[in-house]
mmCIF file with all atom_site columns, all heavy atoms in Angstrom:
data_model
loop_
_atom_site.group_PDB
_atom_site.id
_atom_site.type_symbol
_atom_site.label_atom_id
_atom_site.label_alt_id
_atom_site.label_comp_id
_atom_site.label_asym_id
_atom_site.label_entity_id
_atom_site.label_seq_id
_atom_site.pdbx_PDB_ins_code
_atom_site.Cartn_x
_atom_site.Cartn_y
_atom_site.Cartn_z
_atom_site.occupancy
_atom_site.B_iso_or_equiv
_atom_site.pdbx_formal_charge
_atom_site.auth_seq_id
_atom_site.auth_comp_id
_atom_site.auth_asym_id
_atom_site.auth_atom_id
_atom_site.pdbx_PDB_model_num
ATOM 1   N N   . MET A 1 27 ? -15.807 -19.134 10.619 1.00 94.00 ? 27 MET A N   1
ATOM 2   C CA  . MET A 1 27 ? -15.840 -19.264 9.145  1.00 94.00 ? 27 MET A CA  1
ATOM 3   C C   . MET A 1 27 ? -15.040 -20.595 8.661  1.00 94.00 ? 27 MET A C   1
ATOM 4   O O   . MET A 1 27 ? -14.818 -20.752 7.558  1.00 94.00 ? 27 MET A O   1
ATOM 5   C CB  . MET A 1 27 ? -15.328 -18.051 8.529  1.00 94.00 ? 27 MET A CB  1
ATOM 6   C CG  . MET A 1 27 ? -16.141 -16.811 8.834  1.00 94.00 ? 27 MET A CG  1
ATOM 7   S SD  . MET A 1 27 ? -15.422 -15.282 8.311  1.00 94.00 ? 27 MET A SD  1
ATOM 8   C CE  . MET A 1 27 ? -14.161 -15.015 9.610  1.00 94.00 ? 27 MET A CE  1
ATOM 9   N N   . ASN A 1 28 ? -14.615 -21.407 9.624  1.00 94.00 ? 28 ASN A N   1
ATOM 10  C CA  . ASN A 1 28 ? -13.699 -22.527 9.335  1.00 94.00 ? 28 ASN A CA  1
ATOM 11  C C   . ASN A 1 28 ? -12.441 -22.224 8.644  1.00 94.00 ? 28 ASN A C   1
ATOM 12  O O   . ASN A 1 28 ? -11.940 -22.922 7.828  1.00 94.00 ? 28 ASN A O   1
ATOM 13  C CB  . ASN A 1 28 ? -14.568 -23.585 8.404  1.00 94.00 ? 28 ASN A CB  1
ATOM 14  C CG  . ASN A 1 28 ? -14.026 -24.962 8.445  1.00 94.00 ? 28 ASN A CG  1
ATOM 15  O OD1 . ASN A 1 28 ? -13.513 -25.424 9.593  1.00 94.00 ? 28 ASN A OD1 1
ATOM 16  N ND2 . ASN A 1 28 ? -14.055 -25.643 7.383  1.00 94.00 ? 28 ASN A ND2 1
ATOM 17  N N   . HIS A 1 29 ? -11.929 -20.994 9.104  1.00 93.00 ? 29 HIS A N   1
ATOM 18  C CA  . HIS A 1 29 ? -10.631 -20.591 8.502  1.00 93.00 ? 29 HIS A CA  1
ATOM 19  C C   . HIS A 1 29 ? -9.469  -21.408 9.192  1.00 93.00 ? 29 HIS A C   1
ATOM 20  O O   . HIS A 1 29 ? -9.523  -21.692 10.356 1.00 93.00 ? 29 HIS A O   1
ATOM 21  C CB  . HIS A 1 29 ? -10.521 -19.084 8.747  1.00 93.00 ? 29 HIS A CB  1
ATOM 22  C CG  . HIS A 1 29 ? -11.303 -18.276 7.854  1.00 93.00 ? 29 HIS A CG  1
ATOM 23  N ND1 . HIS A 1 29 ? -11.411 -16.970 7.948  1.00 93.00 ? 29 HIS A ND1 1
ATOM 24  C CD2 . HIS A 1 29 ? -12.095 -18.624 6.721  1.00 93.00 ? 29 HIS A CD2 1
ATOM 25  C CE1 . HIS A 1 29 ? -12.174 -16.439 7.002  1.00 93.00 ? 29 HIS A CE1 1
ATOM 26  N NE2 . HIS A 1 29 ? -12.642 -17.472 6.236  1.00 93.00 ? 29 HIS A NE2 1
ATOM 27  N N   . ASN A 1 30 ? -8.423  -21.578 8.388  1.00 93.00 ? 30 ASN A N   1
ATOM 28  C CA  . ASN A 1 30 ? -7.334  -22.256 8.925  1.00 93.00 ? 30 ASN A CA  1
ATOM 29  C C   . ASN A 1 30 ? -6.245  -21.344 9.602  1.00 93.00 ? 30 ASN A C   1
ATOM 30  O O   . ASN A 1 30 ? -5.614  -21.803 10.574 1.00 93.00 ? 30 ASN A O   1
ATOM 31  C CB  . ASN A 1 30 ? -6.614  -23.027 7.854  1.00 93.00 ? 30 ASN A CB  1
ATOM 32  C CG  . ASN A 1 30 ? -7.335  -24.157 7.288  1.00 93.00 ? 30 ASN A CG  1
ATOM 33  O OD1 . ASN A 1 30 ? -7.634  -25.099 8.068  1.00 93.00 ? 30 ASN A OD1 1
ATOM 34  N ND2 . ASN A 1 30 ? -7.722  -24.192 6.039  1.00 93.00 ? 30 ASN A ND2 1
ATOM 35  N N   . SER A 1 31 ? -6.068  -20.111 9.152  1.00 92.00 ? 31 SER A N   1
ATOM 36  C CA  . SER A 1 31 ? -5.101  -19.272 9.667  1.00 92.00 ? 31 SER A CA  1
ATOM 37  C C   . SER A 1 31 ? -5.704  -18.170 10.534 1.00 92.00 ? 31 SER A C   1
ATOM 38  O O   . SER A 1 31 ? -6.709  -17.520 10.125 1.00 92.00 ? 31 SER A O   1
ATOM 39  C CB  . SER A 1 31 ? -4.305  -18.599 8.484  1.00 92.00 ? 31 SER A CB  1
ATOM 40  O OG  . SER A 1 31 ? -3.784  -19.639 7.710  1.00 92.00 ? 31 SER A OG  1
ATOM 41  N N   . MET A 1 32 ? -5.010  -17.683 11.591 1.00 95.00 ? 32 MET A N   1
ATOM 42  C CA  . MET A 1 32 ? -5.426  -16.661 12.503 1.00 95.00 ? 32 MET A CA  1
ATOM 43  C C   . MET A 1 32 ? -4.278  -15.808 12.923 1.00 95.00 ? 32 MET A C   1
ATOM 44  O O   . MET A 1 32 ? -3.083  -16.270 12.954 1.00 95.00 ? 32 MET A O   1
ATOM 45  C CB  . MET A 1 32 ? -6.127  -17.263 13.769 1.00 95.00 ? 32 MET A CB  1
ATOM 46  C CG  . MET A 1 32 ? -7.376  -18.076 13.328 1.00 95.00 ? 32 MET A CG  1
ATOM 47  S SD  . MET A 1 32 ? -8.315  -18.655 14.817 1.00 95.00 ? 32 MET A SD  1
ATOM 48  C CE  . MET A 1 32 ? -9.135  -17.106 15.297 1.00 95.00 ? 32 MET A CE  1
ATOM 49  N N   . TYR A 1 33 ? -4.518  -14.615 13.210 1.00 96.00 ? 33 TYR A N   1
ATOM 50  C CA  . TYR A 1 33 ? -3.485  -13.489 13.327 1.00 96.00 ? 33 TYR A CA  1
ATOM 51  C C   . TYR A 1 33 ? -3.903  -12.640 14.592 1.00 96.00 ? 33 TYR A C   1
ATOM 52  O O   . TYR A 1 33 ? -5.144  -12.284 14.752 1.00 96.00 ? 33 TYR A O   1
ATOM 53  C CB  . TYR A 1 33 ? -3.398  -12.629 12.079 1.00 96.00 ? 33 TYR A CB  1
ATOM 54  C CG  . TYR A 1 33 ? -3.136  -13.518 10.858 1.00 96.00 ? 33 TYR A CG  1
ATOM 55  C CD1 . TYR A 1 33 ? -4.244  -14.076 10.227 1.00 96.00 ? 33 TYR A CD1 1
ATOM 56  C CD2 . TYR A 1 33 ? -1.895  -13.731 10.415 1.00 96.00 ? 33 TYR A CD2 1
ATOM 57  C CE1 . TYR A 1 33 ? -4.005  -14.857 9.036  1.00 96.00 ? 33 TYR A CE1 1
ATOM 58  C CE2 . TYR A 1 33 ? -1.752  -14.522 9.267  1.00 96.00 ? 33 TYR A CE2 1
ATOM 59  C CZ  . TYR A 1 33 ? -2.678  -15.130 8.677  1.00 96.00 ? 33 TYR A CZ  1
ATOM 60  O OH  . TYR A 1 33 ? -2.488  -15.956 7.550  1.00 96.00 ? 33 TYR A OH  1
ATOM 61  N N   . TRP A 1 34 ? -2.863  -12.080 15.214 1.00 98.00 ? 34 TRP A N   1
ATOM 62  C CA  . TRP A 1 34 ? -3.103  -10.947 16.147 1.00 98.00 ? 34 TRP A CA  1
ATOM 63  C C   . TRP A 1 34 ? -2.232  -9.765  15.794 1.00 98.00 ? 34 TRP A C   1
ATOM 64  O O   . TRP A 1 34 ? -1.046  -9.875  15.533 1.00 98.00 ? 34 TRP A O   1
ATOM 65  C CB  . TRP A 1 34 ? -2.652  -11.380 17.511 1.00 98.00 ? 34 TRP A CB  1
ATOM 66  C CG  . TRP A 1 34 ? -3.697  -12.152 18.322 1.00 98.00 ? 34 TRP A CG  1
ATOM 67  C CD1 . TRP A 1 34 ? -3.772  -13.493 18.583 1.00 98.00 ? 34 TRP A CD1 1
ATOM 68  C CD2 . TRP A 1 34 ? -4.853  -11.572 18.918 1.00 98.00 ? 34 TRP A CD2 1
ATOM 69  N NE1 . TRP A 1 34 ? -4.959  -13.820 19.314 1.00 98.00 ? 34 TRP A NE1 1
ATOM 70  C CE2 . TRP A 1 34 ? -5.586  -12.638 19.605 1.00 98.00 ? 34 TRP A CE2 1
ATOM 71  C CE3 . TRP A 1 34 ? -5.405  -10.265 19.007 1.00 98.00 ? 34 TRP A CE3 1
ATOM 72  C CZ2 . TRP A 1 34 ? -6.750  -12.402 20.257 1.00 98.00 ? 34 TRP A CZ2 1
ATOM 73  C CZ3 . TRP A 1 34 ? -6.530  -10.057 19.682 1.00 98.00 ? 34 TRP A CZ3 1
ATOM 74  C CH2 . TRP A 1 34 ? -7.234  -11.116 20.357 1.00 98.00 ? 34 TRP A CH2 1
ATOM 75  N N   . TYR A 1 35 ? -2.891  -8.633  15.680 1.00 97.00 ? 35 TYR A N   1
ATOM 76  C CA  . TYR A 1 35 ? -2.207  -7.376  15.339 1.00 97.00 ? 35 TYR A CA  1
ATOM 77  C C   . TYR A 1 35 ? -2.434  -6.344  16.501 1.00 97.00 ? 35 TYR A C   1
ATOM 78  O O   . TYR A 1 35 ? -3.389  -6.415  17.260 1.00 97.00 ? 35 TYR A O   1
ATOM 79  C CB  . TYR A 1 35 ? -2.900  -6.675  14.127 1.00 97.00 ? 35 TYR A CB  1
ATOM 80  C CG  . TYR A 1 35 ? -2.580  -7.461  12.849 1.00 97.00 ? 35 TYR A CG  1
ATOM 81  C CD1 . TYR A 1 35 ? -3.574  -8.439  12.381 1.00 97.00 ? 35 TYR A CD1 1
ATOM 82  C CD2 . TYR A 1 35 ? -1.601  -7.214  12.037 1.00 97.00 ? 35 TYR A CD2 1
ATOM 83  C CE1 . TYR A 1 35 ? -3.349  -9.077  11.244 1.00 97.00 ? 35 TYR A CE1 1
ATOM 84  C CE2 . TYR A 1 35 ? -1.358  -7.918  10.815 1.00 97.00 ? 35 TYR A CE2 1
ATOM 85  C CZ  . TYR A 1 35 ? -2.275  -8.851  10.440 1.00 97.00 ? 35 TYR A CZ  1
ATOM 86  O OH  . TYR A 1 35 ? -2.073  -9.527  9.341  1.00 97.00 ? 35 TYR A OH  1
ATOM 87  N N   . ARG A 1 36 ? -1.597  -5.359  16.528 1.00 97.00 ? 36 ARG A N   1
ATOM 88  C CA  . ARG A 1 36 ? -1.894  -4.160  17.385 1.00 97.00 ? 36 ARG A CA  1
ATOM 89  C C   . ARG A 1 36 ? -1.862  -2.978  16.455 1.00 97.00 ? 36 ARG A C   1
ATOM 90  O O   . ARG A 1 36 ? -1.068  -2.871  15.511 1.00 97.00 ? 36 ARG A O   1
ATOM 91  C CB  . ARG A 1 36 ? -0.872  -4.050  18.587 1.00 97.00 ? 36 ARG A CB  1
ATOM 92  C CG  . ARG A 1 36 ? 0.495   -3.956  18.200 1.00 97.00 ? 36 ARG A CG  1
ATOM 93  C CD  . ARG A 1 36 ? 1.441   -3.870  19.436 1.00 97.00 ? 36 ARG A CD  1
ATOM 94  N NE  . ARG A 1 36 ? 1.360   -2.375  20.050 1.00 97.00 ? 36 ARG A NE  1
ATOM 95  C CZ  . ARG A 1 36 ? 1.819   -2.145  21.178 1.00 97.00 ? 36 ARG A CZ  1
ATOM 96  N NH1 . ARG A 1 36 ? 2.561   -2.894  21.872 1.00 97.00 ? 36 ARG A NH1 1
ATOM 97  N NH2 . ARG A 1 36 ? 1.666   -0.841  21.717 1.00 97.00 ? 36 ARG A NH2 1
ATOM 98  N N   . GLN A 1 37 ? -2.728  -1.983  16.837 1.00 96.00 ? 37 GLN A N   1
ATOM 99  C CA  . GLN A 1 37 ? -2.680  -0.707  15.982 1.00 96.00 ? 37 GLN A CA  1
ATOM 100 C C   . GLN A 1 37 ? -2.399  0.420   16.986 1.00 96.00 ? 37 GLN A C   1
ATOM 101 O O   . GLN A 1 37 ? -3.154  0.630   17.943 1.00 96.00 ? 37 GLN A O   1
ATOM 102 C CB  . GLN A 1 37 ? -4.039  -0.444  15.439 1.00 96.00 ? 37 GLN A CB  1
ATOM 103 C CG  . GLN A 1 37 ? -4.043  0.751   14.471 1.00 96.00 ? 37 GLN A CG  1
ATOM 104 C CD  . GLN A 1 37 ? -5.432  1.246   14.153 1.00 96.00 ? 37 GLN A CD  1
ATOM 105 O OE1 . GLN A 1 37 ? -6.513  0.801   14.608 1.00 96.00 ? 37 GLN A OE1 1
ATOM 106 N NE2 . GLN A 1 37 ? -5.492  2.226   13.290 1.00 96.00 ? 37 GLN A NE2 1
#
Side-chain angles (χ1 to χ4, degrees):
Chain A
M27 297 175 283
N28 201 34
H29 284 175
N30 287 302
S31 303
M32 298 184 75
Y33 306 83
W34 276 105
Y35 293 89
R36 59 178 288 173
Q37 186 196 3

